[in-house]
Amino acid sequence: MGPRDSFRDRITRRRAPIVALVTYVVALLAWTAVVGRWLPMPGGAADAEIQMSEPGAPEAMALSNGLTGIGLYLVMWGVMMIAMMYPSSIPLFRLYSTTLEGTTTAGKAARIGAFVGTYSLIWTATGVVPLLVNALVPIVSLANSHGGLLMGGALVLLSGYQLSPYKHRCLRYCRSPLGFLMSHHRTGVRGAVRMSCEFGAFCVGCCWALFAFMVIVGSMNVVWMALIAVVLSLERTVAWGEQLARAIGVFAGVTGSTIVVLTLV
Amino acid sequence: MEPPDDDVCNVSLAWHIEEGSYGDVDLSGVDVGMLISTAEGVMFDAETEWDVVLLVDETADDDQREAIEDIYFGRAGGIWAPVADTHVRSADVATVPISFSRDGSDFSVEIEDVLEMDASGAVGFNEEIGTISPHPLTKSHEVQTGKSTTATVSYGDQFTWDVSGNNAYLGDFELANA
């Protein structure tokens, strides 16, 4: 009867990877929007002396343009987060969608929309942090006056977190979408929102230090964005992801301390 | 999670459905057993494959048996869908007489000559039964810890083991999709 061969076919044959495809397309659009500078920033064109890719520039520009500036910055930050975080979250989105057999297409769309939407909102909300930090300590002037210390300090902070048990606790959930789903699964749209909040918390816990570093090197710096997106995707998906997280911690620690020492000497 | 003894997991699970339905099919009173034998590695590592035997109570009619298969093999969605999608390499079904009894935290399951399990809740601090959370298969996402006195399985060569005297997990469950 060959159940060994037929089981996976029986389970998977009906399912086109729609969720994965849509997510990839959205992520691709987000990357295109960021790279192509489609996103409006207040005074972006007029302020020729400030490059958007410089450390602290987008944050300073946002803060100097009031609520509109803050709103536009958060939109930009949200699009960036979608570009960077969606690809590595697809395994969870896809697995979650498999749990939704037995509801209508509209019901599935509502639940997946609630799950992915909440996740996106959580990441968008984290954009408040660089704005708050920048309101207290302007990163542009700090980067101009103490660039070495700022960069070195950011690397040391990144190193400390990459090597901490908190990072690895969160990473474990991000690395095992089924493990997360098995232990946090809830039904309904409200359940989707709740699960997404819980996953978002682990996800932010996993990646915040990398994004803190990104803000320091320039939150609109596309090269760093791409590098960090690759790093966090590898951390979350490949078999040697945990070792990679530690290796980055060690590398950031050594580089950061060296920069700090060289700056002080 | 840590690797199991000998690097493979042998798992026997049993459910007594007090109240439930799948579509129009009433499943109240149906007993279900499941045997899982894994490839080497941590059970929930994405690359670890499982061979599964679903044991359905012989008192269940055809509709009920089909419903149970749909649910536990993930075709009905819910938490078993990603499990089937990620892990299950082969799946077999057997219709067998199942006797399931529970007295508080004392559980006893006998499935013909396939399975015999007796387990009781294990008391921890404060004279309360210990719990583990989060756990996917219970309503509260929490299972009680227990210990088995008997836990033997005999179903073909692959599904034959005696893990009596090991940890057991007990709890009320609620499965739902969507």
Side-chain angles (χ1 to χ4, degrees):
Chain A
M1 61 182 269
R4 197 170 281 267
D5 301 322
S6 64
F7 189 76
R8 285 242 166 109
D9 296 343
R10 243 163 48 202
I11 293 294
T12 53
R13 69 175 171 218
R14 295 165 289 147
R15 216 176 290 131
I18 295 171
V19 173
L21 285 176
V22 170
T23 314
Y24 275 124
V25 168
V26 173
L28 193 67
L29 282 174
W31 274 109
T32 313
V34 172
V35 175
R37 296 175 187 278
W38 292 357
L39 299 163
M41 275 300 283
D47 256 330
E49 75 274 19
I50 293 187
Q51 282 287 324
M52 284 288 278
S53 58
E54 279 180 17
E59 288 78 16
M61 226 176 266
L63 287 171
S64 62
N65 282 279
L67 276 181
T68 317
I70 290 170
L72 288 175
Y73 177 89
L74 287 179
V75 169
M76 177 208 76
W77 180 267
V79 172
M80 262 172 31
M81 293 299 121
I82 285 171
M84 297 174 77
M85 299 306 302
Y86 270 23
S88 61
S89 302
I90 283 174
L92 177 65
F93 296 165
R94 200 184 60 80
L95 276 189
Y96 172 59
S97 74
T98 68
T99 70
L100 299 175
E101 203 59 46
T103 182
T104 57
T105 308
K108 278 182 201 164
R111 285 158 180 76
I112 294 169
F115 192 97
V116 178
T118 306
Y119 181 68
S120 314
L121 279 179
I122 289 170
W123 271 115
T124 303
T126 61
V128 172
V129 177
L131 287 178
L132 276 178
V133 170
N134 207 73
L136 297 171
V137 190
I139 300 171
V140 174
S141 54
L142 204 62
N144 287 336
S145 57
H146 299 93
L149 281 181
L150 183 67
M151 173 69 107
L155 281 168
V156 170
L157 176 74
L158 172 64
S159 166
Y161 192 69
Q162 288 289 113
L163 297 172
S164 74
Y166 305 106
K167 163 86 185 186
H168 289 271
R169 213 161 80 189
C170 294
L171 186 58
R172 190 157 284 189
Y173 275 111
C174 293
R175 287 178 52 77
S176 170
L178 179 65
F180 171 80
L181 212 50
M182 294 256 336
S183 50
H184 292 77
H185 183 250
R186 309 263 169 189
T187 53
V189 173
R190 205 177 290 176
V193 171
R194 188 170 156 181
M195 269 192 290
S196 191
C197 286
E198 289 163 338
F199 180 66
F202 290 124
C203 204
V204 172
C206 183
C207 302
W208 70 265
L210 284 165
F211 287 115
F213 175 70
M214 189 182 81
V215 169
I216 300 301
V217 291
S219 50
M220 279 292 275
N221 187 322
V222 177
V223 177
W224 275 111
M225 260 182 72
L227 269 176
I228 289 169
V230 168
V231 163
L232 66 87
S233 297
L234 290 176
E235 277 186 353
R236 287 154 55 111
T237 49
V238 297
W240 37 275
E242 291 195 37
Q243 286 93 313
L244 177 71
R246 287 202 181 85
I248 286 168
V250 171
F251 180 73
V254 171
T255 314
S257 335
T258 311
I259 294 175
V260 169
V261 169
L262 287 178
T263 312
L264 290 175
V265 169
Chain B
M1 282 193 231
E2 288 178 33
D5 295 348
D6 303 323
D7 214 23
V8 291
C9 273
N10 293 321
V11 182
S12 8
L13 299 162
W15 294 265
H16 171 71
I17 303 170
E18 285 178 1
E19 195 186 312
S21 60
Y22 176 57
D24 299 333
V25 183
D26 182 17
L27 296 173
S28 305
V30 175
D31 292 319
V32 182
M34 188 185 258
L35 312 177
I36 304 169
S37 167
T38 72
E40 286 186 4
V42 175
M43 190 174 184
F44 285 102
D45 272 355
E47 58 270 21
T48 305
E49 298 191 299
W50 304 359
D51 296 316
V52 174
V53 179
L54 185 67
L55 304 163
V56 187
D57 192 353
E58 65 175 6
T59 62
D61 62 30
D62 285 351
D63 288 344
Q64 288 175 320
R65 189 178 44 73
E66 273 176 38
I68 293 292
E69 279 186 46
D70 278 353
I71 293 167
Y72 283 89
F73 288 157
R75 295 193 285 266
I79 197 62
W80 288 106
V83 171
D85 199 26
T86 312
H87 292 290
V88 178
R89 172 171 59 190
S90 76
D92 205 355
V93 185
T95 308
V96 280
I98 301 179
S99 103
F100 185 108
S101 66
R102 174 186 180 179
D103 179 10
S105 70
D106 293 334
F107 289 77
S108 179
V109 185
E110 197 176 335
I111 303 181
E112 212 177 25
D113 48 1
V114 175
L115 177 149
E116 194 177 344
M117 276 200 295
D118 296 288
S120 304
V123 175
F125 292 116
N126 298 333
E127 296 302 303
E128 288 169 8
I129 294 175
T131 56
I132 286 181
S133 167
H135 191 281
L137 298 182
T138 61
K139 188 179 178 184
S140 59
H141 285 194
E142 193 176 85
V143 284
Q144 294 186 321
T145 54
K147 198 162 176 95
S148 66
T149 47
T150 318
T152 56
V153 166
S154 172
Y155 183 88
D157 286 347
Q158 190 179 4
F159 300 91
T160 296
W161 57 77
D162 179 352
V163 291
S164 306
N166 274 289
N167 291 337
Y169 300 100
L170 324 158
D172 294 314
F173 74 99
E174 185 177 82
L175 293 176
N177 61 356

